[in-house]
Amino acid sequence: LDAVGFAASLVHRGLRMVRFPTTVLAQNDAGVGVKTGINVEGVKNAWGTFQVPYAVVADLDFLDTLHDRDWRGGLAEAWKVALLKDARFFERLCRDAPALGARARAPMARAVIRCAELHLAHLARGGDPFELGASRPLDFGHWAAHGLESMSGFRIGHGEAVAAGIALDTTYAALQGWVDPELPDRLCRGLAACGLAVWHPEMERAGTDGTPALFAALDAFREHLGGRLLLAFPDGPGRMREEGTIDRALLRRALAALRDRAGRPPRPCAVGEARLP
């Protein structure tokens, strides 16, 4: 999608393009947006353009062909958009997480459709579809995700990195007092039930100055945003806030808390926490 979309956006100043996303990641996120991104010399999305698709055809039959890793990976993007934009969708994911991890078709269809609706609403009514400003809600958790992908030589897939990234930023939000302290645990249990890890060895790597090497990704993301750092965080399920100043000492505590949580045996994703029919 990215390579062909990038080329199509350049030929004759843009060819009409119809997208057929064939993975969970693409149907939940990349295939329904307006961006293209090409990794160059280890830098995530170093080259890219905006290419609005003429249509997007999300055929769920494609998803049955995927390996388990590719089925699971794309689910992180559903958790991302639900946590920031739709509390009922978040509760539904908490309820559906074990079934999603077991590759049930019906909850996946619900997730794909709701993700498309939320992305379309953001692009059409969010006021900044071509990201002229620094505010990018759909990049929640992506500063760390992009860093993890690059640090691992892209051994960690994008969706896998996003799962860790949103878990880290939600833990940070809890330490800041912006969200209920139980929210990171609920999110991590849901991700685990879907088969997604929230901790990778790269997150323990230290930089030359002794600070977590992952923190260099904050500076890289600042450049990605055009020079001004403004990150989206949850402000409770279905609500978001934006912050331009990051307390790195508190972020280290969030990393430590996430490492400890990942090292504990997971509790079941509590269906009783969701009150949806």
Side-chain angles (χ1 to χ4, degrees):
L1 291 178
D2 278 305
V4 173
F6 183 74
S9 70
L10 299 177
V11 176
H12 297 300
R13 300 185 183 90
L15 300 176
R16 181 174 292 184
M17 179 184 65
V18 177
R19 288 184 181 155
F20 282 81
T22 60
T23 67
V24 175
L25 181 67
Q27 292 191 9
N28 278 347
D29 184 80
V32 293
V34 296
K35 294 187 289 188
T36 69
I38 306 295
N39 301 341
V40 179
E41 296 182 355
V43 179
K44 178 76 176 180
N45 295 339
W47 294 354
T49 57
F50 290 98
Q51 173 73 345
V52 181
Y54 181 70
V56 179
V57 181
D59 186 340
L60 294 172
D61 285 347
F62 280 120
L63 306 186
D64 293 333
T65 71
L66 298 175
H67 293 293
D68 286 344
R69 184 182 182 190
D70 293 316
W71 172 281
R72 296 191 301 261
L75 289 167
E77 297 286 3
W79 287 94
K80 175 202 75 176
V81 72
L83 195 51
L84 289 194
K85 290 184 171 291
D86 189 340
R88 286 180 60 83
F89 186 28
F90 177 77
E91 296 292 343
R92 188 80 206 205
L93 287 174
C94 286
R95 173 172 156 172
D96 285 348
L100 285 165
R103 301 192 60 148
R105 171 69 80 92
M108 180 61 82
R110 284 194 294 268
V112 168
I113 291 169
R114 189 59 185 144
C115 283
E117 291 171 343
L118 291 170
H119 277 75
L120 184 59
H122 174 77
L123 293 168
R125 300 194 294 273
D128 191 19
F130 299 110
E131 298 182 344
L132 298 177
S135 175
R136 301 188 186 179
L138 298 182
D139 276 344
F140 165 46
H142 279 51
W143 74 267
H146 289 180
L148 286 172
E149 289 177 81
S150 296
M151 289 169 66
S152 70
F154 298 96
R155 174 187 58 80
I156 301 173
H158 181 68
E160 295 166 332
V162 168
I166 64 174
L168 175 60
D169 282 0
T170 303
T171 302
Y172 177 84
L175 291 175
Q176 284 281 17
W178 301 333
V179 301
D180 189 291
E182 180 69 11
L183 184 61
D185 194 48
R186 294 188 65 200
L187 173 64
C188 290
R189 291 188 346 247
L191 290 169
C194 288
L196 287 163
V198 298
W199 185 260
H200 299 277
E202 285 78 5
M203 299 170 80
E204 289 192 283
R205 188 181 301 169
T208 55
D209 60 354
T211 63
L214 183 61
F215 287 5
L218 281 169
D219 299 320
F221 206 70
R222 185 194 309 274
E223 180 183 345
H224 172 70
L225 295 175
R228 179 189 175 201
L229 186 65
L230 191 63
L231 300 180
F233 290 93
D235 201 35
R239 301 191 310 273
M240 62 161 281
R241 63 188 295 142
E242 294 177 323
E243 296 290 332
T245 301
I246 304 302
D247 183 335
R248 298 198 180 203
L250 199 64
L251 191 58
R252 291 187 74 159
R253 286 179 54 196
L255 268 174
L258 190 61
R259 181 187 60 231
D260 291 344
R261 179 177 286 115
R264 296 197 299 265
R267 289 190 290 145
C269 187
V271 174
E273 292 172 341
R275 298 288 188 262
L276 299 182

